[in-house]
Amino acid sequence: MIIDLRSDTVTKPTKGMLEAMWSAQVGDDVFGEDPTVNALEQKLADMFGMEAGLFCPSGTMTNQIAIKLHTGPQKEVICHKYSHIYLYEAGGIMANAHASVKLLEGVYGKITAQDVADNISADDVHACETTLVSLENTMNKGGGSIYTLDEVKPIKTLCEKHGIKLHLDGARLFNALVASGESAKDWGAQFDTISICLSKGLGCPIGSVLLGSKADIKRARKIRKSFGGGMRQAGYLAAAAIYALDHHVDRLAEDHDRAKAMGLMLEKHPLVSEVFPVVTNIVIARLKGISPEDFLSKLAGKGIKAVKFGKDQVRFVTHLDFNDEMLELFGERIKEIQ
């Protein structure tokens, strides 16, 4: 049995999801005539108490559309130095928005209101004006760490004071909400735009939705078109997302429990010096006495797939297709690695 823990993007649609896709009502979404896409966009907007949504192929696209909305040449976005929008989106901030980036430090990938306050660039002839702050929840490079509302609200207040927009890369936002028990509507109230990824913990084959005001989403639709992101009968994909929102959110707690169990297993391993605190479905292990490449090779020899996540780190991600039997096998197999 191959145990694939490289990412929660490796899942396959469930039987129920496939049935929902097969029976979806569709139309041409570029004309705004796909009823299932429209239903998905409205469903998520209502969940987060926001005005409108825009269905896109990927979280990278929804993030990049938001950055282009809120910045531009000689403007600046503030984010953590480990943010996905900076590290893993192929230089999109520069290529798409022609904007500058100010990178901040912070424990487990998180930044504070004070961090932001200390780094806002004014509209000065010598500087790029800060027009956007971007947060990530959960924080991938932070080991699935989460922001709480108490941490975000002061950042929102600061942004409003300075006329700065606040964006959320909600790649695994539902994981964060399940872990914290906080309300989607309370989170929606803090941000100008939110990117919701559907193809990670929720188990969809493709897709993300950008949430925001009606005015921002109208502009975002044109940006999506210029990015080549206009889709036609996309309702087949939107139907998978609606199914996931109805059936796959509460079960994220199972992924979190399995990840925590994996973390305890790895803490005891002689080749692991540290495991980041496990809060959601991501487990990052820091290695000792072995390179990530060699450790991954040993894992592969036992039928386990993971990814290198730094010069001395590897990452494991639990997901919809990883069950208790696989967890038990994972524990048995890593004991055989020396």
Side-chain angles (χ1 to χ4, degrees), residues 178-200:
V178 166
S180 69
E182 292 176 340
S183 155
K185 277 191 169 64
D186 286 343
W187 272 79
Q190 307 308 313
F191 294 90
D192 294 284
T193 47
I194 297 179
S195 165
I196 304 287
C197 186
L198 303 161
S199 61
K200 294 188 172 72

Side-chain angles (χ1 to χ4, degrees), residues 82 99 109 123 132 157 174 213 237 299 316 325:
Y82 290 149
D123 185 9
L132 177 64
T157 299
F174 280 101
S213 68
L237 302 173
L299 287 173
F316 306 84
E325 179 187 1

Side-chain angles (χ1 to χ4, degrees), residues 293-312:
E293 290 83 1
D294 287 345
F295 190 72
L296 291 172
S297 178
K298 288 177 179 288
L299 287 173
K302 299 296 181 180
I304 299 170
K305 295 182 179 182
V307 296
K308 179 179 177 180
F309 222 53
K311 65 180 181 179
D312 61 353

Side-chain angles (χ1 to χ4, degrees), residues 193-309:
T193 47
I194 297 179
S195 165
I196 304 287
C197 186
L198 303 161
S199 61
K200 294 188 172 72
L202 295 179
C204 295
I206 190 172
S208 291
V209 172
L210 181 66
L211 301 177
S213 68
K214 288 181 179 178
D216 278 345
I217 295 304
K218 181 179 179 180
R219 289 179 57 214
R221 195 171 294 275
K222 183 174 286 190
I223 296 171
R224 184 187 71 173
K225 183 66 174 175
S226 73
F227 284 177
M231 297 183 285
R232 301 299 178 175
Q233 288 72 35
Y236 296 113
L237 302 173
I242 292 172
Y243 181 90
L245 291 169
D246 290 341
H247 297 91
H248 291 175
V249 174
D250 291 343
R251 64 146 306 280
L252 291 171
E254 299 173 20
D255 295 344
H256 301 172
D257 289 342
R258 292 182 184 116
K260 289 171 185 175
M262 285 176 54
L264 293 174
M265 295 172 186
L266 288 163
E267 282 179 353
K268 300 172 184 176
H269 198 279
L271 296 176
V272 173
S273 65
E274 176 192 6
V275 175
F276 285 26
V278 182
V279 183
T280 51
N281 69 324
I282 296 176
V283 184
I284 296 179
R286 192 182 304 277
L287 305 174
K288 60 181 179 182
I290 190 171
S291 69
E293 290 83 1
D294 287 345
F295 190 72
L296 291 172
S297 178
K298 288 177 179 288
L299 287 173
K302 299 296 181 180
I304 299 170
K305 295 182 179 182
V307 296
K308 179 179 177 180
F309 222 53

Side-chain angles (χ1 to χ4, degrees), residues 58-65 84 88-90 96 195 208 227:
S58 70
T60 293
M61 183 175 284
T62 47
N63 281 332
Q64 290 301 316
I65 289 172
H84 192 281
Y88 299 120
E89 298 188 5
N96 299 315
S195 165
S208 291
F227 284 177

Side-chain angles (χ1 to χ4, degrees), residues 34 84 121 165 175 250 255 264 315 331:
D34 190 302
H84 192 281
S121 298
K165 299 296 184 180
N175 290 87
D250 291 343
D255 295 344
L264 293 174
R315 186 192 74 171

